[in-house]
Amino acid sequence: NYRHLSTSAVSSLLGTTWILNSIVNIHLRSGGYPINSLLGIDKNDKGFVAAAGGKYVTSSNAKIFHDFGTTTEDYASITFQNGGVFWNINALRSGGNNAKVRTNTTIT
């Protein structure tokens, strides 16, 4: 469901090597990590959790616990289909190490 994007925009994006990452208002959950400690989730349900020095650890079986409105419906499919990560704006807003981790995971 790409209702906010034109057909040509979707075709153009999926036909490139570009990766679409979405920073959205979601709550994520995985294993023993508290809600909102996960910074992002990929299409394989791998969660990204901040570690010291701007590094990150991954967590398996991450899930979108809650979104607001139709965020997941509107953006998850194209983000994951394109190889991107759904980033949790609530965790990233805190800045510091969390923001460094997102930059590092986007670059690597």
Side-chain angles (χ1 to χ4, degrees):
N1 180 0
Y2 310 123
R3 65 181 174 180
H4 297 296
L5 299 171
S6 70
T7 303
S8 62
V10 171
S11 295
S12 294
L13 177 64
L14 295 177
T16 70
T17 57
W18 295 4
I19 296 175
L20 174 68
N21 286 283
S22 298
I23 300 174
V24 293
N25 193 6
I26 54 173
H27 295 290
L28 302 172
R29 172 180 279 169
S30 180
Y33 295 101
I35 295 172
N36 277 341
S37 63
L38 269 70
L39 303 177
I41 184 173
D42 73 6
K43 70 179 177 181
N44 298 314
D45 297 331
K46 178 171 62 175
F48 296 91
V49 183
K55 300 197 183 301
Y56 65 91
V57 295
T58 59
S59 174
S60 59
N61 298 316
K63 300 292 179 208
I64 298 170
F65 175 71
H66 178 72
D67 69 358
F68 297 88
T70 58
T71 302
T72 300
E73 178 185 336
D74 292 344
Y75 302 107
S77 179
I78 193 167
T79 299
F80 294 153
Q81 188 175 5
N82 179 265
V85 173
F86 230 32
W87 294 103
N88 176 357
I89 195 167
N90 301 300
L92 298 175
R93 280 183 180 146
S94 63
N97 198 44
N98 287 348
K100 287 179 189 174
V101 170
R102 198 206 68 83
T103 302
N104 291 343
T105 56
T106 300
I107 292 171
T108 60

